[in-house]
Amino acid sequence: MTLMSFNPIFDVRDWIDDKGNRVLHNSDIFNERDNPFWDVYRNTAYDVVNRVLATSNISYRANSWLSLNGIIGIDFSNTLGQSVYHPQSFSGSGSSTAMRNGSINEYTVNGRILSGSFMANVKKNLSKDFSFRANLGAEFKDYDFLTNSQYGEDFYDPDFYSINNTFPSSRLVRSAAANFRTVGFMAQTGFGYLNDMVYLNLTGRLDAASRMMPNNPYFAYPSASLAFNFTDLDFFKDKVSWMTNGKYRISVGTTGKAPYKSYYTLSNFEPKNTTGAGLLMVSMAGILI
């Protein structure tokens, strides 16, 4: 981004002098944006994540038409980050009336995500012409994050990037905890006719998000679809052999998702549970020749 705003009449490789100072083309550092090389090598930033994931999966086939599956997993992470603006940089120098001798922001994030799901799968032929499939399940995710950050300004040594190298009165610290949970229940049924030449699929899901409390945390969103593989008809098999696959499909559904952050409402306002925008879709599959 700094390269896009850098004046092309100057050589971008001329960014530092023999004494390690920033090369300027204007009167002072307050009125000239950083050279891209200066931005890369002096305004440093990093974000290092150490992560451990563990998952356990258990499957059980009760009989020829029913199978059960359970999954539980845990995700531990530790993030160390730092972002620095050098005292001679455009963003680290402040202004001519409020000078700043660089700044540094350091943070650590400890996270734990516990998740699990259970699913029952049914697949059975009801008769010679009709088939039935169903999935019934539930899942949950539990999030726990703790962020500790510290900020400081005015470096004593401009090239030593440490919070201990900043002026004590400029230092700020912050701690933030985020704990939230989501739970979902889902069901799906499908009915096929004549080897799925005609297929009806019905789905429903009920989710709950702790971030929506103390209001009603539950929201549901169903969907339905009907597909017709017209090339499975004898007419197409005998008369239109060059068309190997063709399908009409129509579907309707409502989608939803949990809020990204907790929200607040006025005490005299009754919020409605918005589950997302409805979507009506009509489509025809591509014809394969």
Side-chain angles (χ1 to χ4, degrees), residues 69-273:
N69 181 261
I71 301 175
I72 189 167
I74 193 164
D75 178 358
F76 283 110
S77 62
N78 172 260
T79 303
L80 303 175
Q82 184 187 84
S83 177
V84 175
Y85 283 110
H86 191 276
Q88 294 184 27
S89 67
F90 176 79
S91 299
S93 58
S95 64
S96 57
T97 57
M99 297 181 62
R100 186 174 62 192
N101 199 33
S103 64
I104 182 172
N105 182 40
E106 296 179 333
Y107 55 90
T108 61
V109 183
N110 294 313
R112 189 269 298 149
I113 303 175
L114 180 65
S115 61
S117 65
F118 174 79
M119 185 70 67
N121 304 297
V122 177
K123 185 177 181 181
K124 189 175 180 63
N125 291 326
L126 301 178
S127 66
K128 179 182 178 181
D129 296 332
F130 287 93
S131 64
F132 172 73
R133 299 170 189 170
N135 301 311
L136 181 66
E139 66 176 6
F140 75 92
K141 285 190 175 182
D142 186 86
Y143 301 85
D144 189 349
F145 294 97
L146 177 62
T147 302
N148 290 305
S149 60
Q150 48 192 359
Y151 174 83
E153 296 179 352
D154 298 326
F155 290 119
Y156 292 108
D157 182 344
D159 297 315
F160 178 46
Y161 297 162
S162 170
I163 195 72
N164 297 327
N165 187 40
T166 58
F167 199 68
S169 62
S170 71
R171 298 173 191 169
L172 301 172
V173 296
R174 180 175 180 266
S175 181
N179 309 101
F180 55 96
R181 182 180 295 117
T182 60
V183 179
F185 306 91
M186 65 214 77
Q188 181 181 33
T189 59
F191 300 89
Y193 176 66
L194 292 179
N195 294 322
D196 296 341
M197 182 177 68
V198 179
Y199 196 83
L200 174 65
N201 193 60
L202 304 173
T203 67
R205 184 176 174 103
L206 175 66
D207 281 353
S210 63
R211 282 174 164 173
M212 298 175 64
M213 297 178 71
N215 299 314
N216 180 15
Y218 296 97
F219 53 99
Y221 40 103
S223 69
S225 67
L226 181 65
F228 173 42
N229 298 289
F230 58 86
T231 49
D232 287 348
L233 295 171
D234 293 337
F235 170 81
F236 282 91
K237 294 179 180 179
D238 299 335
K239 305 296 184 181
V240 195
S241 58
W242 53 268
M243 185 182 297
T244 59
N245 194 355
K247 176 192 291 187
Y248 284 106
R249 182 176 183 271
I250 184 171
S251 63
V252 59
T254 303
T255 185
K257 62 181 296 186
Y260 173 68
K261 291 184 177 181
S262 301
Y263 67 91
Y264 301 90
T265 57
L266 298 177
S267 58
N268 60 348
F269 175 70
E270 184 65 25
K272 293 183 178 180
N273 230 346

